[in-house]
Amino acid sequence: MVQPAESSAPSPPPAAATRTPLEEQEETGAAFLPPPPPADSAELLPESWRAALNAEQQKWIGRVLFTRDSRGRSRLISELDLWWNPPQPRPIYTQPPASPDPFFACRLFLWVPHRMWHLQLTCPQPLCTGSMTKAGLYRTVRRVLDINGWYLMATEYLECRRCKKKVGGWSQGIIRQLSPTHSCQFPAVLTYKLSCDMRVLVQLRSRTPGNSAKRLFNTLREQHSEAWMRRGIRYLGICEQFLAMCSARGQTPPPPLPPMPPLPSPVWLLTVYSYDVLSQLDKYKFRITSTFGSILKMDSTKKVMKKLAGAASDTAAWVTNVGNEHWQVLNSVLTCSEGAGGLSRMAAGIMRRYRLAGVPAPQLMYVDRDCCNRDGASKTAALFQE
């Protein structure tokens, strides 16, 4: 500013405007605030995700998981986590809820091991050793059965650099490559359409009297119904406050309750349980082959085969079990005939187990046939010569 050449008296300084600390903080931090979210967060979701989610799920998932880059394209955020909880209903409503969806919203499990932990993964295809790289998001969003409700699960696409094969991040070929620290965080067993949380399957692992798939189905139905009723009571209690106002103004009453999602059948629970057993086959094999004993018993039966016959009838007739003094089974095989003729490989495997483990050989074995021979060693003694 150009000062005047002559001044009779200095002019008083202008009064400083008083500002609150909040205004100063907003002024200094205005340049660093993130851009506002888009008007419609559902547009940030992949098209296949929008087809699998309702309007309320599209809004909150698009708002918390996606953003736009400098070119305006939708991108997954960089700060990722496994579990994402939906926004809860407001504690106080001044107008009727537009939809019951916020009261029945379910959480999301996002499984992106390559993006989140930057792990070096190889192609799960046989005879291919190429490394995997991220190739977008998997187009299917799964529904997972939980103890008292459902939750959503999404994952990423991984592509092999060599054979260009794409697989989902939740495939067993990828999960088996993870360390126990990471693989134990995957919570479910997947099937073709639905999935089941491990907390549900754990209840089927305990093979006690009365613990059946039908019993588990009834327990899940009771817990799902109770959780759904609690949410419905909260929604209807809020809507009740505005019923008189809506009728006086001629407005449409709030939407009714949505139906409770149906539970899968007990047969489906058994199917998922069999998938869980197959995924842990190596662990069960290690546990069985680590069983020993000093007194063994070998016996054959047809009762089990009669229950398992079906299309495989007349192919195997006998089930032979070898157990120890603690009623633990060392081995179980299916044979076409009873006796020592078809059990040579089983006997060789049991003897090899004792030999490699350095465990003393059993002192006694009980059988119901082939135990005696006047001309020398019996068939059972010849079978277990060690």
Side-chain angles (χ1 to χ4, degrees), residues 134-147:
K134 58 184 180 181
L137 294 173
Y138 198 80
R139 57 178 175 268
T140 302
V141 178
R142 291 182 174 270
R143 293 174 59 238
V144 185
L145 176 68
D146 204 353
I147 292 292

Side-chain angles (χ1 to χ4, degrees), residues 29-30 38 51 62 76 92 104 116 135 158 179 190 203-204 213 228 230 234-235 242 251 255 264 298 300 374:
L76 194 66
I92 299 177
F104 297 90
M116 182 179 300
L158 298 176
S179 65
L190 308 183
Q203 302 186 37
L204 278 176
W228 183 87
R230 285 199 303 265
R234 184 180 179 186
Y235 171 70
F242 302 98
Q251 299 178 353
M298 183 173 66
S300 301
R374 295 180 179 180

Side-chain angles (χ1 to χ4, degrees), residues 271-319:
T271 303
V272 180
Y273 176 68
S274 64
Y275 289 166
D276 178 47
V277 172
L278 288 176
S279 65
Q280 304 183 65
L281 195 59
D282 292 338
K283 183 179 72 174
Y284 292 132
K285 190 181 300 183
F286 295 153
R287 182 183 302 175
I288 293 174
T289 55
S290 299
T291 304
F292 300 93
S294 59
I295 301 177
L296 302 184
K297 174 186 176 182
M298 183 173 66
D299 187 26
S300 301
T301 178
K302 279 188 174 182
K303 295 180 180 180
V304 177
M305 286 310 304
K306 290 180 179 179
K307 296 180 180 180
L308 301 178
S313 61
D314 300 329
T315 59
W318 292 89
V319 176

